[in-house]
Amino acid sequence: MTETNLSWGRPMLAIPGPSVMPDRVLQAMHRPAPNIYAGQLVEMTASIIPDLKAVARSTSHVAMYIANGHGAWEAALSNTLSRGDKVLVLATGRFAHGWADMAGFMGVECDIVDFGKRSPFDLTQVEEKLRADKAHEYKAVLAVQVDTSTSVKSDIGALRKAMDAAGHPALLMVDCIACLGCDDFHMDDWGVDVMVAGCQKGLMTPPGMAFVYFSDKADEARDTAGNLTHYWDWRPRSRPEEYYQHFDGTAPTHHLYGLREALDMIVHEEGLENVIARHAVLARAVWAAFEHWAQTGPLELNVVDPAHRSNAVTSVRIGPPHGTELRNWLADQAGLTLGIGLGMAPPGDPAWHGFFRVGHMGHVNVQMILGTLSSIEAGLNAIGVEHTPGGATAAAKVVSGA
Ligand SMILES: *Cc1c(COP(=O)(O)O)cnc(C)c1O
């Protein structure tokens, strides 16, 4: 009992998923198991579907799974592709490669175009690639809207235009797991055929549910998809004749209560537009802090152009070993957990310790983000990394001017 430690208090988890969960969501889950055949649960499940569609600005179909994001990836591939099919994968970080690995396991040949770790898709290159595919061998284009490892955001509406300009009929399949409910997404207007999401990031619900949205065109592909299996089949899940078909078995009862509460907050109370606007201001506050600190010393935002940054997560370069030192100091001394630098350098390589990420997705407000940034400034001082003091003040200016 001799050393002072300032971390006691409510912890702050600023990793890019799972995000901070509202107490209301957790409390909604704290109840006895409901009847899974009739009554409240059945009615509540039906009410969740339109709100899930609203969050994606979608009038298409949506299937729910008891799964994490990886499950949603596999579900999307299972319903649309066969062994021997070919797809074009656009990579702006680790997660596109993860989705491609999964497709490879399912016998799908992946042509990966890697745009590096700091830039969005080069659409000229994508269009050329699609034009060159005269036989239309690519059955789908796999794209990640925000790659959580790099925090690079790509323009999905512009990708659809590039595909149309090339006259290519491939399905457009998009991973929005990191950023649904944080960055703008327009499934219908952008002509997205398949979109995958999880519940534990912008949707503020404990990990365990995943969603696959799909267009009529994608649903047609399901009829000939050789990789289709009973459990992943999206058709009964999205248009069940019996309630149990929603989940091909027992529903994730408590997750549904939590998700209902989260969607009430997002869609019916704050409003999706406002949710996204709040994320945009808080993200700008985060960037202002880092840009200020970075005027001297080794700190650098991974994504240089603000137009290609995400409202949900920010990847930072600080140089080894400072990333790990900063994260450790904040966890031990401030009660703040930041994200590791994922996919930026191989684990085991000393360079791995030169990165970290700040999650600013979901149930976050001004005091949480300014507290996070002020704590980071304290941490930079404590571990002795050169920086221009005053980043937290720069962030406060963004918020007070909003
Ligand atoms: C989090 C995330 C995933 C993986 O989700 P899990 O729930 O961990 O399986 C995939 N893609 C993106 C863009 C993500 O942010």
Side-chain angles (χ1 to χ4, degrees):
M1 287 309 192
T2 49
E3 258 181 68
T4 306
N5 181 295
L6 304 180
S7 71
W8 294 90
R10 196 177 178 94
M12 171 71 184
L13 185 68
I15 66 176
S19 63
V20 175
M21 277 132 210
D23 290 347
R24 278 176 61 182
V25 168
L26 300 175
Q27 283 154 6
M29 298 175 76
H30 195 104
R31 64 172 74 216
N35 183 0
I36 56 166
Y37 299 108
Q40 191 190 26
L41 184 75
V42 173
E43 286 155 27
M44 190 181 67
T45 306
S47 78
I48 283 173
I49 306 292
D51 290 343
L52 279 177
K53 291 183 185 177
V55 172
R57 279 131 171 170
S58 163
T59 54
S60 63
H61 313 278
V62 61
M64 298 184 284
Y65 296 87
I66 300 178
N68 57 18
H70 284 67
W73 276 349
E74 186 154 315
L77 300 168
S78 164
N79 277 279
T80 50
L81 299 167
S82 306
R83 297 192 89 80
D85 278 351
K86 205 165 151 182
V87 298
L88 183 65
V89 182
L90 311 181
T92 58
R94 185 56 229 146
F95 284 89
H97 291 282
W99 201 4
D101 284 348
M102 197 167 253
F105 247 82
M106 297 169 83
V108 173
E109 191 187 324
C110 294
D111 195 352
I112 303 176
V113 190
D114 195 326
F115 300 99
K117 295 179 168 73
R118 309 189 72 171
S119 334
F121 318 141
D122 175 349
L123 291 170
T124 316
Q125 210 180 322
V126 174
E127 195 179 319
E128 274 169 20
K129 207 72 195 162
L130 291 171
R131 278 187 199 282
D133 177 31
K134 292 201 169 46
H136 295 163
E137 286 186 0
Y138 296 132
K139 292 286 183 282
V141 175
L142 270 49
V144 181
Q145 186 183 10
V146 170
D147 197 294
T148 324
S149 60
T150 57
S151 71
V152 170
K153 181 179 75 180
S154 292
D155 187 339
I156 302 300
L159 171 58
R160 162 49 73 193
K161 289 199 181 113
M163 290 172 69
D164 289 349
H168 203 291
L171 295 173
L172 173 54
M173 314 219 321
V174 182
D175 170 348
C176 292
I177 298 170
C179 57
L180 187 68
C182 308
D183 287 296
D184 244 335
F185 181 77
H186 296 266
M187 175 132 181
D188 288 358
D189 291 355
W190 294 351
V192 173
D193 293 298
V194 178
M195 187 272 271
V196 297
C199 69
Q200 79 271 29
K201 300 189 184 183
L203 300 187
M204 313 190 297
T205 303
M209 284 189 73
F211 314 106
V212 179
Y213 296 71
F214 56 99
S215 66
D216 287 331
K217 179 176 164 189
D219 198 29
E220 272 171 41
R222 173 231 172 256
D223 286 332
T224 53
N227 280 329
L228 185 67
T229 56
H230 190 284
Y231 189 73
W232 292 124
D233 189 358
W234 63 29
R235 197 167 285 163
R237 284 172 182 265
S238 59
R239 278 152 287 173
E241 283 165 19
E242 304 281 350
Y243 182 76
Y244 80 91
Q245 292 178 311
H246 266 304
F247 295 97
D248 205 15
T250 305
T253 48
H254 291 70
H255 271 80
L256 289 168
Y257 282 105
L259 180 64
R260 179 62 274 165
E261 194 73 16
L263 289 169
D264 278 345
M265 295 172 75
I266 294 168
V267 179
H268 300 294
E269 295 173 24
E270 187 177 358
L272 182 63
E273 301 273 337
N274 295 328
V275 171
I276 289 171
R278 167 170 55 84
H279 278 88
V281 173
L282 296 176
R284 279 200 289 118
V286 172
W287 308 335
F290 281 101
E291 281 168 352
H292 186 96
W293 291 323
Q295 292 173 91
T296 50
L299 269 173
E300 201 189 339
L301 284 174
N302 184 53
V303 183
V304 177
D305 184 344
H308 304 140
R309 295 178 191 156
S310 165
N311 290 345
V313 54
T314 296
S315 295
V316 183
R317 298 169 169 254
I318 190 172
H322 307 311
T324 298
E325 281 177 1
L326 181 68
R327 283 191 301 102
N328 288 345
W329 189 89
L330 288 166
D332 295 343
Q333 302 297 322
L336 169 64
T337 304
L338 298 181
I340 59 168
L342 191 68
M344 301 302 277
D349 182 335
W352 188 90
H353 297 284
F355 305 90
F356 65 93
R357 292 173 299 158
V358 184
H360 34 93
M361 52 177 64
H363 191 56
V364 285
N365 62 16
V366 169
Q367 53 92 9
M368 294 161 82
I369 295 298
L370 293 186
T372 294
L373 295 169
S374 299
S375 303
I376 291 173
E377 186 151 348
L380 294 171
N381 286 327
I383 65 167
V385 169
E386 191 191 353
H387 62 284
T388 300
T393 306
K397 278 193 194 132
V398 170
V399 167
S400 49

